[in-house]
Amino acid sequence: MNETTRYKILRQREMMKGYTAEYAGAEPTDQQQKLPFPMPLKEAKGTARIALPMDFEDVVGNKGIFSLLAERESCRVYAEEEVSLKELSFLLWATQGVRRYAGKSRQVTFRNVPSAGSRHPFETYLFIRSVEGISPGIYHYLPAGHELELWEDRDDYALELTEALNGQKFAAEAPVTFVWTVLPYRTEWRYGMQAHKYMLLDAGHVCENLYLACEAAGCGTCAIGSYDQERLDELLGFAPGPSAETDCEFSVYAAPVGKKK
Ligand SMILES: Cc1cc2nc3c(=O)[nH]c(=O)nc-3n(C[C@H](O)[C@H](O)[C@H](O)COP(=O)(O)O)c2cc1C
């Protein structure tokens, strides 16, 4: 291992740790300095909006928590069957749905997943190939109104998505592929240097909820941590490379979804 690699590995390890002496002299976080809070919900910018159904109780089988946990597994082969709109709606609700708001400006969201400080730094994008009643394309989830907005009206992304997911064709060609991005400032505002550890932990909760919700609804999924950062960010329209902007956004995790065979 050369010195550069060793240095990078050590930095990454440090980033995963809890508070250490290094944080003692750190300047106060932006929240402690009373800077304005970043909202945890993006404004809709897409060309079309699709209201998602909330009457999705019937897509959930009668499985108890024991069988959901015991039967959860990564699924990489899907039935040649559409995902229904209610199933997709349920999966979005389970992973990022907003239950209630708090704060004077409703700036805090409480959702179906936990998040450090309830900062909820993620956005959900969907590459839709085969979902009942939705034209193939790239969509963005709007948790506030439980809607989808059309992010990009194109359905010819299969090759680019496969390359962006490091050649994992099964993930790029699933009926729907979730990609979660992070807006790190939402969490950095409160936690400064500690934020990055929390955001990675938060991402795990989101994907685990997707696994369990899929299991309950007869769908399968597989966490995707192996992807090409620049290609995936460019495909979603986000500038690749480091950015110090407060609204900088980049991909962190993905997961294909389809009906189980
Ligand atoms: C953070 C993370 C990243 C992963 N990345 C990938 C991936 O890129 N491709 C893949 O096929 N599986 C990926 N997986 C799935 C694991 O390979 C899988 O969870 C593991 O083999 C255990 O199998 P199980 O989920 O069925 O218990 C990932 C899982 C996690 C938690």
Side-chain angles (χ1 to χ4, degrees):
M1 192 188 294
N2 68 33
E3 278 310 302
T4 312
T5 310
R6 189 187 308 278
Y7 173 78
K8 285 183 179 165
I9 286 176
L10 290 180
R11 285 299 310 164
Q12 292 299 91
R13 282 190 194 163
E14 288 310 303
M15 194 269 280
M16 300 299 299
K17 291 180 183 171
Y19 286 98
T20 63
E22 195 188 341
Y23 298 111
E27 70 171 322
T29 67
D30 285 2
Q31 181 181 20
Q32 286 162 342
Q33 295 182 48
K34 306 220 177 314
L35 291 172
F37 50 78
M39 292 301 279
L41 297 161
K42 279 180 80 157
E43 300 277 328
K45 282 194 223 137
T47 45
R49 279 161 83 159
I50 300 167
L52 295 164
M54 280 299 282
D55 59 336
F56 44 58
E57 286 87 344
D58 54 316
V59 307
V60 181
N62 275 333
K63 284 193 178 181
I65 188 70
F66 180 79
S67 55
L68 293 179
L69 292 172
E71 287 162 33
R72 182 218 61 81
E73 62 182 359
S74 294
C75 173
R76 298 178 180 85
V77 181
Y78 312 104
E80 274 302 318
E81 201 184 315
E82 283 185 331
V83 170
S84 78
L85 184 61
K86 275 191 189 177
E87 285 161 353
L88 179 64
S89 177
F90 168 61
L91 300 179
L92 288 164
W93 176 82
T95 47
Q96 282 292 270
V98 175
R99 286 190 199 160
R100 64 184 174 87
Y101 295 88
K104 275 190 217 127
S105 323
R106 287 160 58 87
Q107 79 274 25
V108 180
T109 55
F110 287 90
R111 310 195 190 193
N112 291 324
V113 280
S115 164
S118 215
R119 304 307 306 151
H120 292 290
F122 307 116
E123 294 290 326
T124 309
Y125 296 86
L126 302 175
F127 289 82
I128 289 185
R129 193 171 69 83
S130 182
V131 173
E132 171 207 6
I134 302 191
S135 311
I138 308 174
Y139 291 82
H140 170 233
Y141 178 51
L142 299 166
H146 194 57
E147 295 168 286
L148 286 180
E149 63 172 331
L150 184 57
W151 189 251
E152 217 184 320
D153 193 6
R154 56 172 293 202
D155 59 5
D156 59 345
Y157 52 71
L159 184 62
E160 283 168 74
L161 185 57
T162 304
E163 286 174 354
L165 299 180
N166 285 343
Q168 300 188 83
K169 216 164 175 234
F170 77 92
E173 294 184 355
V176 50
T177 305
F178 283 56
V179 174
W180 293 289
T181 61
V182 65
L183 282 96
Y185 185 66
R186 288 185 192 161
T187 301
E188 289 164 352
W189 176 76
R190 171 165 295 180
Y191 294 113
M193 284 174 70
Q194 187 69 175
H196 309 90
K197 169 190 166 75
Y198 292 152
M199 288 186 276
L200 294 180
L201 294 172
D202 283 359
H205 300 308
V206 174
C207 193
E208 181 65 7
N209 262 29
L210 182 66
Y211 268 103
L212 295 176
C214 276
E215 190 59 45
C219 296
T221 189
C222 178
I224 298 291
S226 167
Y227 63 90
D228 182 311
Q229 189 72 49
E230 299 218 328
R231 285 190 175 168
L232 195 52
D233 289 342
E234 278 188 318
L235 190 49
L236 286 169
F238 300 116
S243 166
E245 300 294 314
T246 51
D247 63 350
C248 104
E249 181 170 351
F250 54 89
S251 316
V252 279
Y253 215 0
V257 170
K259 294 294 290 176
K260 275 196 172 172
K261 273 203 165 175

